[in-house]
Amino acid sequence: MDSVHGAVVVVTGASSGIGRATALAFAREGARLVLAARREELLGEVAGECRELGAEAEAVPTDVTDAEAVRRLADRAVQRFGGIDVWVNNAGVGAIGRFEDTPVEAHRRVVETNLFGPLHGAHAVLPLFRRQGHGVLINTVSVGAWAPAPYAAAYAASKFGLEGLLESLRAELVDAPGIHVCGVYPSFTDTPGMSHGANYTGHRLDPESPFYDDPQDVAETMVAVALRPRAQAMVGALTPLTRLGHAVAPRLMEKVAGYGAHRHFSRTPPAPTSDGNLFVPVERGRGVTGGFRTPPPGWVSPLIVAGVAAAAAAAYAGYARSRNGRH
């Protein structure tokens, strides 16, 4: 597409965070929007903001873990606008806690939302894309698709699984060049997700950090991918560096992540456990950002990024030397 003006775009998880930012970004470009999430009142609020920007927008309350509900979402978009050009699988949840302290039901719900939700979306829209001969399926993946996530094992499992799903769908669709399956890969993003996620750590979730991505950057990447589809679009500097680090030194990455997580939760104040929004939507966490991002002085980020890049390059060089020495 040369423009998304007039394109029909479905966005799941549109009530807050990346989904809300994405809906507004497409609205500014004149797309026709069908917005989905569990929080009906808040979803209507987002649709109203999109209309104020001059876009057509309809809110369709949907739980993406329900395959039939997702199919009805696709049908509603076709009934309202005659087709679907872009489908954004964005709905997601998280459960933070030691693996054995997190209820099995919570692990299952994370996988149902983060993996089966996109699977349900793809299953609903790909037949339509095939009939149309075109369409862009965009999925919010994560740096968690390539790196360990201690205290969030089910989240990492869902994202590793989602990466496999996308690669498999692209392989199946080699006979349909007009259909694109894309992944957007942010690292830690400043959204309300942390405030309404499940917490089984026994400690307060205190994610304040200067290295959170801005949800607006992720949303702008979504629009860019809709216009110029590609298999993988990374957001921020930490995502490609983390991927490289895990590729060349996976055991080291596991140890660094594990010790870092243990140290973090040993220093945060106690807090009660909570299911958050896993099973029932909650009212808190309504905006685009979560308020966790605290930008550092201008000189800090370039130095850190350069240091991580140098470390990754050194690790890769050592890996290459060791392989060359064996041949």
Side-chain angles (χ1 to χ4, degrees):
M1 293 183 289
D2 294 325
S3 169
V4 296
H5 186 85
V8 180
V9 181
V10 177
V11 182
T12 69
S15 60
S16 66
I18 291 172
R20 187 169 189 152
T22 297
L24 295 173
F26 275 107
R28 293 186 192 98
E29 299 297 323
R32 295 178 290 171
L33 292 159
V34 179
L35 307 178
R38 292 179 296 171
R39 294 184 283 182
E40 183 172 0
E41 180 181 349
L42 187 53
L43 193 62
E45 178 184 304
V46 179
E49 291 180 3
C50 291
R51 295 186 196 106
E52 290 175 3
L53 292 169
E56 295 182 70
E58 180 165 348
V60 182
T62 306
D63 183 340
V64 298
T65 66
D66 182 340
E68 287 306 312
V70 177
R71 197 169 303 280
R72 290 193 296 270
L73 170 65
D75 291 343
R76 182 59 188 146
V78 173
Q79 291 167 6
R80 174 71 188 273
F81 295 118
I84 300 171
D85 299 297
V86 180
W87 182 290
V88 180
N89 282 320
N90 172 74
V93 295
I96 308 299
R98 283 185 182 269
F99 178 76
E100 65 271 22
D101 294 337
T102 302
V104 169
E105 294 78 9
H107 288 306
R108 180 182 295 114
R109 185 67 173 181
V110 171
V111 175
E112 287 174 346
T113 303
N114 297 358
L115 177 55
F116 278 89
L119 187 151
H120 294 158
H123 203 268
V125 78
L126 285 179
L128 173 64
F129 283 176
R130 281 194 179 274
R131 291 195 297 271
Q132 294 176 165
H134 69 87
V136 183
L137 176 63
I138 304 175
N139 302 266
T140 303
V141 194
S142 170
V143 67
W146 298 314
Y151 286 77
Y155 180 86
S158 69
K159 296 302 183 178
F160 269 74
L162 180 55
E163 178 66 12
L165 173 65
L166 302 187
E167 292 185 15
S168 299
L169 291 179
R170 283 193 289 268
E172 283 191 24
L173 289 164
V174 293
D175 62 339
I179 302 174
H180 305 276
V181 176
C182 313
V184 172
Y185 300 77
S187 60
F188 303 106
T189 306
D190 180 17
T191 73
M194 192 66 74
S195 65
H196 56 220
N199 179 7
Y200 304 104
T201 65
H203 295 268
R204 190 176 71 197
L205 300 181
D206 187 10
E208 185 172 322
S209 167
F211 305 112
Y212 275 69
D213 289 332
D214 187 335
Q216 190 57 44
D217 292 339
V218 185
E220 291 172 1
T221 301
M222 297 281 193
V223 176
V225 169
L227 290 169
R228 297 290 181 271
R230 53 193 183 276
Q232 297 177 341
M234 301 185 200
V235 182
L238 291 181
T239 298
L241 292 174
T242 301
R243 185 186 186 189
L244 175 61
H246 186 261
V248 300
R251 302 290 83 79
L252 176 61
M253 290 286 287
E254 290 171 5
K255 290 181 179 179
V256 169
Y259 285 126
H262 294 325
R263 183 172 183 272
H264 172 79
F265 287 113
S266 70
R267 296 164 58 125
T268 54
T273 61
S274 168
D275 291 331
N277 69 342
L278 283 184
F279 307 103
V280 179
V282 297
E283 286 303 310
R284 64 184 181 273
R286 302 170 63 90
V288 168
T289 62
F292 306 126
R293 190 167 179 262
T294 55
W299 55 270
V300 173
S301 291
L303 284 179
I304 292 179
V305 170
V308 175
Y316 180 78
Y319 172 76
R321 285 196 299 271
S322 68
R323 284 190 61 85
N324 289 337
R326 289 197 297 266
H327 296 287

